[in-house]
Amino acid sequence: MALTTGWGRRGAGVLAVAAATAATWWLWLGWDTGYQVDPVTGAMSGPYQGWQVIGCVLCLGAIAAVGGWLLSPWLVAPTMTVTFTAVWSADAARDETGLWAVGAVLVFIGMGVGATVLSTGAWLTARHWRR
């Protein structure tokens, strides 16, 4: 069948990485659109809480590591970077200040570096263990 060939397996893997990355954004961050106001200082923060961002980063790290173990970092890192930046930007573009574009660049850079480092580390480890 198609999934037993190298390209079929890689294509399915890329789709799985993209789906898991988009689902991670939605499960941790996508549902939260509320901002918090400190009653003492009146400072506004949000929409995400620290625990949401930490959970999201840990899940993305796991996806990058598993993806790197099973696939190639050349497939995993760009897929995760583009997918997460796209879903984050689609939601953040509703920001009225226009600063979401700066955030999108930072998300893109952070995702690119993080996914590359983790998937490459997992890929190198897998190569070592398969020898």
Side-chain angles (χ1 to χ4, degrees):
M1 295 296 213
L3 289 181
T4 59
T5 66
W7 284 109
R9 182 170 117 17
R10 285 185 196 104
V14 166
L15 289 175
V17 166
T21 300
T24 297
W25 171 82
W26 189 84
L27 289 170
W28 287 102
L29 307 176
W31 55 269
D32 191 356
T33 58
Y35 285 82
Q36 299 79 38
V37 178
D38 186 315
V40 176
T41 64
M44 187 182 302
S45 66
Y48 313 127
Q49 298 290 322
W51 62 269
Q52 289 174 281
V53 175
I54 292 169
C56 184
V57 168
L58 291 175
C59 286
L60 290 170
I63 294 165
V66 171
W69 187 275
L70 298 174
L71 299 167
S72 162
W74 294 103
L75 297 172
V76 175
T79 300
M80 289 185 70
T81 301
V82 170
T83 301
F84 194 84
T85 303
V87 295
W88 184 89
S89 295
D91 181 59
R94 293 184 280 135
D95 176 35
E96 297 160 0
T97 66
L99 290 176
W100 72 271
V102 174
V105 170
L106 295 175
V107 165
F108 184 84
I109 292 169
M111 278 298 302
V113 170
T116 299
V117 167
L118 291 172
S119 63
T120 300
W123 180 71
L124 290 171
T125 302
R127 283 186 60 197
H128 174 74
W129 282 101
R130 289 179 185 139
R131 289 184 186 177

